[in-house]
mmCIF file of all heavy atoms in Angstrom:
data_model
loop_
_atom_site.group_PDB
_atom_site.id
_atom_site.type_symbol
_atom_site.label_atom_id
_atom_site.label_comp_id
_atom_site.label_asym_id
_atom_site.label_seq_id
_atom_site.Cartn_x
_atom_site.Cartn_y
_atom_site.Cartn_z
ATOM 1 N N PHE I 226 -10.371 17.370 -35.337
ATOM 2 C CA PHE I 226 -10.873 16.900 -34.043
ATOM 3 C C PHE I 226 -9.699 16.761 -33.093
ATOM 4 O O PHE I 226 -8.536 16.932 -33.484
ATOM 5 C CB PHE I 226 -11.661 15.588 -34.168
ATOM 6 C CG PHE I 226 -10.881 14.429 -34.731
ATOM 7 C CD1 PHE I 226 -10.129 13.587 -33.912
ATOM 8 C CD2 PHE I 226 -10.928 14.136 -36.097
ATOM 9 C CE1 PHE I 226 -9.417 12.509 -34.429
ATOM 10 C CE2 PHE I 226 -10.235 13.059 -36.626
ATOM 11 C CZ PHE I 226 -9.476 12.241 -35.788
ATOM 12 N N ILE I 227 -9.988 16.472 -31.837
ATOM 13 C CA ILE I 227 -8.961 16.371 -30.790
ATOM 14 C C ILE I 227 -8.964 14.950 -30.249
ATOM 15 O O ILE I 227 -10.033 14.347 -30.045
ATOM 16 C CB ILE I 227 -9.235 17.385 -29.670
ATOM 17 C CG1 ILE I 227 -9.108 18.814 -30.216
ATOM 18 C CG2 ILE I 227 -8.280 17.175 -28.493
ATOM 19 C CD1 ILE I 227 -9.735 19.864 -29.346
ATOM 20 N N GLN I 228 -7.786 14.389 -30.023
ATOM 21 C CA GLN I 228 -7.689 13.021 -29.522
ATOM 22 C C GLN I 228 -6.530 12.887 -28.525
ATOM 23 O O GLN I 228 -5.744 13.796 -28.324
ATOM 24 C CB GLN I 228 -7.497 12.029 -30.672
ATOM 25 C CG GLN I 228 -6.142 12.135 -31.375
ATOM 26 C CD GLN I 228 -5.953 11.068 -32.432
ATOM 27 O OE1 GLN I 228 -6.894 10.429 -32.879
ATOM 28 N NE2 GLN I 228 -4.718 10.860 -32.850
ATOM 29 N N ASN I 229 -6.447 11.679 -27.934
ATOM 30 C CA ASN I 229 -5.394 11.312 -26.983
ATOM 31 C C ASN I 229 -5.260 12.330 -25.844
ATOM 32 O O ASN I 229 -4.170 12.815 -25.545
ATOM 33 C CB ASN I 229 -4.054 11.100 -27.688
ATOM 34 C CG ASN I 229 -3.140 10.169 -26.889
ATOM 35 O OD1 ASN I 229 -3.612 9.231 -26.255
ATOM 36 N ND2 ASN I 229 -1.857 10.434 -26.903
ATOM 37 N N HIS I 230 -6.406 12.596 -25.236
ATOM 38 C CA HIS I 230 -6.454 13.481 -24.067
ATOM 39 C C HIS I 230 -7.449 12.867 -23.098
ATOM 40 O O HIS I 230 -8.498 12.340 -23.503
ATOM 41 C CB HIS I 230 -6.890 14.883 -24.490
ATOM 42 C CG HIS I 230 -6.748 15.927 -23.426
ATOM 43 N ND1 HIS I 230 -7.604 16.001 -22.337
ATOM 44 C CD2 HIS I 230 -5.857 16.954 -23.273
ATOM 45 C CE1 HIS I 230 -7.251 17.013 -21.568
ATOM 46 N NE2 HIS I 230 -6.187 17.612 -22.122
ATOM 47 N N ILE I 231 -7.144 12.905 -21.807
ATOM 48 C CA ILE I 231 -7.971 12.247 -20.804
ATOM 49 C C ILE I 231 -9.414 12.758 -20.848
ATOM 50 O O ILE I 231 -10.363 12.005 -20.566
ATOM 51 C CB ILE I 231 -7.363 12.445 -19.389
ATOM 52 C CG1 ILE I 231 -8.057 11.539 -18.365
ATOM 53 C CG2 ILE I 231 -7.398 13.899 -18.983
ATOM 54 C CD1 ILE I 231 -7.755 10.087 -18.514
ATOM 55 N N LYS I 232 -9.626 14.004 -21.234
ATOM 56 C CA LYS I 232 -10.962 14.586 -21.240
ATOM 57 C C LYS I 232 -11.810 14.150 -22.435
ATOM 58 O O LYS I 232 -12.990 14.507 -22.529
ATOM 59 C CB LYS I 232 -10.875 16.119 -21.212
ATOM 60 C CG LYS I 232 -10.325 16.690 -19.900
ATOM 61 C CD LYS I 232 -11.250 16.374 -18.739
ATOM 62 C CE LYS I 232 -10.767 17.053 -17.455
ATOM 63 N NZ LYS I 232 -11.674 16.777 -16.316
ATOM 64 N N THR I 233 -11.228 13.395 -23.362
ATOM 65 C CA THR I 233 -12.011 12.903 -24.499
ATOM 66 C C THR I 233 -12.755 11.621 -24.165
ATOM 67 O O THR I 233 -13.580 11.159 -24.954
ATOM 68 C CB THR I 233 -11.100 12.629 -25.710
ATOM 69 O OG1 THR I 233 -10.175 11.574 -25.382
ATOM 70 C CG2 THR I 233 -10.339 13.869 -26.126
ATOM 71 N N LEU I 234 -12.475 11.008 -23.010
ATOM 72 C CA LEU I 234 -13.029 9.691 -22.688
ATOM 73 C C LEU I 234 -14.441 9.810 -22.133
ATOM 74 O O LEU I 234 -14.650 10.258 -21.010
ATOM 75 C CB LEU I 234 -12.127 8.975 -21.682
ATOM 76 C CG LEU I 234 -10.641 8.837 -22.071
ATOM 77 C CD1 LEU I 234 -9.904 7.994 -21.034
ATOM 78 C CD2 LEU I 234 -10.496 8.235 -23.456
ATOM 79 N N ASP I 235 -15.423 9.387 -22.942
ATOM 80 C CA ASP I 235 -16.812 9.422 -22.476
ATOM 81 C C ASP I 235 -17.651 8.308 -23.097
ATOM 82 O O ASP I 235 -18.870 8.279 -22.924
ATOM 83 C CB ASP I 235 -17.450 10.784 -22.782
ATOM 84 C CG ASP I 235 -17.470 11.106 -24.272
ATOM 85 O OD1 ASP I 235 -17.017 10.270 -25.089
ATOM 86 O OD2 ASP I 235 -17.943 12.198 -24.635
ATOM 87 N N LYS I 236 -17.022 7.383 -23.817
ATOM 88 C CA LYS I 236 -17.737 6.289 -24.472
ATOM 89 C C LYS I 236 -17.011 4.977 -24.185
ATOM 90 O O LYS I 236 -15.771 4.942 -24.167
ATOM 91 C CB LYS I 236 -17.799 6.560 -25.988
ATOM 92 C CG LYS I 236 -18.666 5.584 -26.758
ATOM 93 C CD LYS I 236 -18.828 6.033 -28.205
ATOM 94 C CE LYS I 236 -17.520 5.948 -28.966
ATOM 95 N NZ LYS I 236 -17.699 6.191 -30.421
ATOM 96 N N PHE I 237 -17.760 3.903 -23.956
ATOM 97 C CA PHE I 237 -17.153 2.633 -23.561
ATOM 98 C C PHE I 237 -16.038 2.219 -24.522
ATOM 99 O O PHE I 237 -16.213 2.204 -25.732
ATOM 100 C CB PHE I 237 -18.202 1.522 -23.516
ATOM 101 C CG PHE I 237 -17.624 0.178 -23.137
ATOM 102 C CD1 PHE I 237 -17.452 -0.161 -21.804
ATOM 103 C CD2 PHE I 237 -17.218 -0.725 -24.105
ATOM 104 C CE1 PHE I 237 -16.902 -1.392 -21.446
ATOM 105 C CE2 PHE I 237 -16.662 -1.947 -23.760
ATOM 106 C CZ PHE I 237 -16.501 -2.285 -22.429
ATOM 107 N N GLY I 238 -14.874 1.882 -23.938
ATOM 108 C CA GLY I 238 -13.745 1.385 -24.727
ATOM 109 C C GLY I 238 -12.799 2.464 -25.205
ATOM 110 O O GLY I 238 -11.678 2.155 -25.621
ATOM 111 N N GLU I 239 -13.229 3.732 -25.174
ATOM 112 C CA GLU I 239 -12.318 4.798 -25.585
ATOM 113 C C GLU I 239 -11.124 4.838 -24.641
ATOM 114 O O GLU I 239 -11.255 4.613 -23.438
ATOM 115 C CB GLU I 239 -13.020 6.159 -25.577
ATOM 116 C CG GLU I 239 -13.908 6.391 -26.774
ATOM 117 C CD GLU I 239 -14.379 7.837 -26.852
ATOM 118 O OE1 GLU I 239 -14.588 8.458 -25.782
ATOM 119 O OE2 GLU I 239 -14.548 8.343 -27.967
ATOM 120 N N TRP I 240 -9.934 5.138 -25.202
ATOM 121 C CA TRP I 240 -8.716 5.084 -24.398
ATOM 122 C C TRP I 240 -7.796 6.258 -24.677
ATOM 123 O O TRP I 240 -7.888 6.926 -25.710
ATOM 124 C CB TRP I 240 -7.967 3.778 -24.654
ATOM 125 C CG TRP I 240 -7.616 3.526 -26.104
ATOM 126 C CD1 TRP I 240 -8.415 2.962 -27.060
ATOM 127 C CD2 TRP I 240 -6.386 3.847 -26.756
ATOM 128 N NE1 TRP I 240 -7.766 2.907 -28.266
ATOM 129 C CE2 TRP I 240 -6.519 3.434 -28.120
ATOM 130 C CE3 TRP I 240 -5.187 4.422 -26.333
ATOM 131 C CZ2 TRP I 240 -5.486 3.595 -29.046
ATOM 132 C CZ3 TRP I 240 -4.161 4.585 -27.256
ATOM 133 C CH2 TRP I 240 -4.317 4.172 -28.594
ATOM 134 N N TYR I 241 -6.913 6.483 -23.708
ATOM 135 C CA TYR I 241 -5.909 7.542 -23.785
ATOM 136 C C TYR I 241 -4.607 6.978 -23.221
ATOM 137 O O TYR I 241 -4.608 6.273 -22.206
ATOM 138 C CB TYR I 241 -6.372 8.761 -22.986
ATOM 139 C CG TYR I 241 -5.263 9.610 -22.405
ATOM 140 C CD1 TYR I 241 -4.443 10.373 -23.220
ATOM 141 C CD2 TYR I 241 -5.040 9.636 -21.026
ATOM 142 C CE1 TYR I 241 -3.414 11.151 -22.679
ATOM 143 C CE2 TYR I 241 -4.028 10.410 -20.482
ATOM 144 C CZ TYR I 241 -3.216 11.156 -21.315
ATOM 145 O OH TYR I 241 -2.207 11.913 -20.775
ATOM 146 N N TYR I 242 -3.485 7.296 -23.892
ATOM 147 C CA TYR I 242 -2.193 6.785 -23.435
ATOM 148 C C TYR I 242 -1.305 7.923 -22.966
ATOM 149 O O TYR I 242 -1.035 8.861 -23.717
ATOM 150 C CB TYR I 242 -1.489 6.011 -24.556
ATOM 151 C CG TYR I 242 -0.133 5.479 -24.151
ATOM 152 C CD1 TYR I 242 0.009 4.690 -23.015
ATOM 153 C CD2 TYR I 242 1.009 5.772 -24.894
ATOM 154 C CE1 TYR I 242 1.251 4.206 -22.626
ATOM 155 C CE2 TYR I 242 2.254 5.280 -24.523
ATOM 156 C CZ TYR I 242 2.362 4.509 -23.384
ATOM 157 O OH TYR I 242 3.591 4.023 -22.991
ATOM 158 N N ASN I 243 -0.844 7.820 -21.717
ATOM 159 C CA ASN I 243 0.095 8.778 -21.146
ATOM 160 C C ASN I 243 1.502 8.237 -21.353
ATOM 161 O O ASN I 243 1.916 7.292 -20.682
ATOM 162 C CB ASN I 243 -0.189 8.985 -19.656
ATOM 163 C CG ASN I 243 0.644 10.093 -19.048
ATOM 164 O OD1 ASN I 243 1.846 10.184 -19.275
ATOM 165 N ND2 ASN I 243 0.002 10.946 -18.261
ATOM 166 N N THR I 244 2.242 8.820 -22.297
ATOM 167 C CA THR I 244 3.553 8.309 -22.680
ATOM 168 C C THR I 244 4.543 8.336 -21.531
ATOM 169 O O THR I 244 5.260 7.358 -21.290
ATOM 170 C CB THR I 244 4.117 9.129 -23.853
ATOM 171 O OG1 THR I 244 3.210 9.052 -24.950
ATOM 172 C CG2 THR I 244 5.465 8.596 -24.291
ATOM 173 N N SER I 245 4.617 9.436 -20.818
ATOM 174 C CA SER I 245 5.630 9.584 -19.772
ATOM 175 C C SER I 245 5.406 8.635 -18.605
ATOM 176 O O SER I 245 6.355 8.202 -17.947
ATOM 177 C CB SER I 245 5.662 11.028 -19.264
ATOM 178 O OG SER I 245 4.413 11.380 -18.694
ATOM 179 N N LYS I 246 4.144 8.252 -18.364
ATOM 180 C CA LYS I 246 3.832 7.379 -17.231
ATOM 181 C C LYS I 246 3.577 5.932 -17.637
ATOM 182 O O LYS I 246 3.304 5.090 -16.780
ATOM 183 C CB LYS I 246 2.612 7.924 -16.482
ATOM 184 C CG LYS I 246 2.854 9.282 -15.832
ATOM 185 C CD LYS I 246 1.631 9.745 -15.056
ATOM 186 C CE LYS I 246 1.882 11.088 -14.383
ATOM 187 N NZ LYS I 246 0.690 11.562 -13.630
ATOM 188 N N HIS I 247 3.642 5.641 -18.955
ATOM 189 C CA HIS I 247 3.359 4.280 -19.462
ATOM 190 C C HIS I 247 2.019 3.782 -18.930
ATOM 191 O O HIS I 247 1.897 2.655 -18.456
ATOM 192 C CB HIS I 247 4.476 3.314 -19.066
ATOM 193 C CG HIS I 247 5.830 3.705 -19.563
ATOM 194 N ND1 HIS I 247 6.249 3.479 -20.858
ATOM 195 C CD2 HIS I 247 6.855 4.346 -18.944
ATOM 196 C CE1 HIS I 247 7.475 3.934 -21.016
ATOM 197 N NE2 HIS I 247 7.856 4.484 -19.872
ATOM 198 N N LYS I 248 1.015 4.639 -19.049
ATOM 199 C CA LYS I 248 -0.269 4.332 -18.442
ATOM 200 C C LYS I 248 -1.396 4.482 -19.467
ATOM 201 O O LYS I 248 -1.472 5.477 -20.183
ATOM 202 C CB LYS I 248 -0.520 5.265 -17.259
ATOM 203 C CG LYS I 248 -1.782 4.973 -16.466
ATOM 204 C CD LYS I 248 -1.966 5.993 -15.356
ATOM 205 C CE LYS I 248 -0.869 5.859 -14.306
ATOM 206 N NZ LYS I 248 -1.082 6.807 -13.187
ATOM 207 N N ILE I 249 -2.266 3.462 -19.532
ATOM 208 C CA ILE I 249 -3.442 3.481 -20.384
ATOM 209 C C ILE I 249 -4.660 3.817 -19.527
ATOM 210 O O ILE I 249 -4.861 3.235 -18.456
ATOM 211 C CB ILE I 249 -3.674 2.116 -21.054
ATOM 212 C CG1 ILE I 249 -2.642 1.882 -22.168
ATOM 213 C CG2 ILE I 249 -5.079 2.014 -21.632
ATOM 214 C CD1 ILE I 249 -2.977 2.535 -23.489
ATOM 215 N N SER I 250 -5.472 4.762 -19.983
ATOM 216 C CA SER I 250 -6.743 5.079 -19.335
ATOM 217 C C SER I 250 -7.867 4.665 -20.274
ATOM 218 O O SER I 250 -7.842 5.000 -21.463
ATOM 219 C CB SER I 250 -6.845 6.574 -19.036
ATOM 220 O OG SER I 250 -5.792 6.996 -18.189
ATOM 221 N N VAL I 251 -8.846 3.929 -19.747
ATOM 222 C CA VAL I 251 -9.953 3.421 -20.557
ATOM 223 C C VAL I 251 -11.269 3.774 -19.881
ATOM 224 O O VAL I 251 -11.404 3.649 -18.657
ATOM 225 C CB VAL I 251 -9.856 1.890 -20.746
ATOM 226 C CG1 VAL I 251 -11.016 1.385 -21.604
ATOM 227 C CG2 VAL I 251 -8.528 1.508 -21.381
ATOM 228 N N PHE I 252 -12.248 4.183 -20.696
ATOM 229 C CA PHE I 252 -13.565 4.523 -20.162
ATOM 230 C C PHE I 252 -14.443 3.275 -20.131
ATOM 231 O O PHE I 252 -14.680 2.647 -21.158
ATOM 232 C CB PHE I 252 -14.238 5.604 -21.013
ATOM 233 C CG PHE I 252 -15.536 6.095 -20.448
ATOM 234 C CD1 PHE I 252 -15.547 7.040 -19.438
ATOM 235 C CD2 PHE I 252 -16.747 5.597 -20.915
ATOM 236 C CE1 PHE I 252 -16.745 7.498 -18.900
ATOM 237 C CE2 PHE I 252 -17.946 6.042 -20.382
ATOM 238 C CZ PHE I 252 -17.950 6.991 -19.371
ATOM 239 N N PHE I 253 -14.921 2.903 -18.938
ATOM 240 C CA PHE I 253 -15.811 1.755 -18.775
ATOM 241 C C PHE I 253 -17.207 2.162 -18.329
ATOM 242 O O PHE I 253 -18.099 1.327 -18.252
ATOM 243 C CB PHE I 253 -15.229 0.776 -17.751
ATOM 244 C CG PHE I 253 -14.070 -0.028 -18.267
ATOM 245 C CD1 PHE I 253 -12.770 0.425 -18.097
ATOM 246 C CD2 PHE I 253 -14.276 -1.223 -18.931
ATOM 247 C CE1 PHE I 253 -11.694 -0.311 -18.574
ATOM 248 C CE2 PHE I 253 -13.223 -1.967 -19.409
ATOM 249 C CZ PHE I 253 -11.921 -1.514 -19.228
ATOM 250 N N GLY I 254 -17.408 3.441 -17.996
ATOM 251 C CA GLY I 254 -18.710 3.882 -17.521
ATOM 252 C C GLY I 254 -19.057 3.215 -16.203
ATOM 253 O O GLY I 254 -18.290 3.242 -15.247
ATOM 254 N N THR I 255 -20.224 2.554 -16.170
ATOM 255 C CA THR I 255 -20.663 1.875 -14.950
ATOM 256 C C THR I 255 -20.091 0.461 -14.841
ATOM 257 O O THR I 255 -20.294 -0.211 -13.833
ATOM 258 C CB THR I 255 -22.194 1.794 -14.919
ATOM 259 O OG1 THR I 255 -22.669 1.104 -16.098
ATOM 260 C CG2 THR I 255 -22.803 3.190 -14.886
ATOM 261 N N LYS I 256 -19.375 -0.010 -15.871
ATOM 262 C CA LYS I 256 -18.793 -1.349 -15.861
ATOM 263 C C LYS I 256 -17.389 -1.306 -15.255
ATOM 264 O O LYS I 256 -16.852 -0.238 -14.953
ATOM 265 C CB LYS I 256 -18.766 -1.926 -17.269
ATOM 266 C CG LYS I 256 -20.149 -2.043 -17.913
ATOM 267 C CD LYS I 256 -20.045 -2.592 -19.323
ATOM 268 C CE LYS I 256 -21.419 -2.838 -19.920
ATOM 269 N NZ LYS I 256 -22.229 -1.624 -20.043
ATOM 270 N N THR I 257 -16.781 -2.480 -15.069
ATOM 271 C CA THR I 257 -15.431 -2.565 -14.528
ATOM 272 C C THR I 257 -14.560 -3.422 -15.440
ATOM 273 O O THR I 257 -15.058 -4.331 -16.111
ATOM 274 C CB THR I 257 -15.433 -3.180 -13.115
ATOM 275 O OG1 THR I 257 -15.965 -4.517 -13.179
ATOM 276 C CG2 THR I 257 -16.267 -2.349 -12.166
ATOM 277 N N PRO I 258 -13.243 -3.186 -15.478
ATOM 278 C CA PRO I 258 -12.356 -3.953 -16.361
ATOM 279 C C PRO I 258 -12.227 -5.423 -15.982
ATOM 280 O O PRO I 258 -11.767 -6.227 -16.794
ATOM 281 C CB PRO I 258 -11.014 -3.230 -16.231
ATOM 282 C CG PRO I 258 -11.102 -2.454 -14.967
ATOM 283 C CD PRO I 258 -12.541 -2.094 -14.791
ATOM 284 N N SER I 259 -12.626 -5.790 -14.779
ATOM 285 C CA SER I 259 -12.501 -7.186 -14.360
ATOM 286 C C SER I 259 -13.358 -8.122 -15.196
ATOM 287 O O SER I 259 -13.126 -9.332 -15.229
ATOM 288 C CB SER I 259 -12.881 -7.324 -12.883
ATOM 289 O OG SER I 259 -14.223 -6.906 -12.658
#
Side-chain angles (χ1 to χ4, degrees):
F226 60 88
I227 295 163
Q228 69 176 17
N229 205 35
H230 190 286
I231 191 70
K232 292 296 185 179
T233 64
L234 306 185
D235 60 1
K236 187 172 67 172
F237 179 84
E239 282 190 326
W240 56 275
Y241 151 70
Y242 179 54
N243 187 315
T244 301
S245 62
K246 295 182 179 179
H247 301 281
K248 185 183 293 183
I249 287 278
S250 301
V251 180
F252 186 81
F253 285 92
T255 58
K256 300 179 175 62
T257 61
S259 60

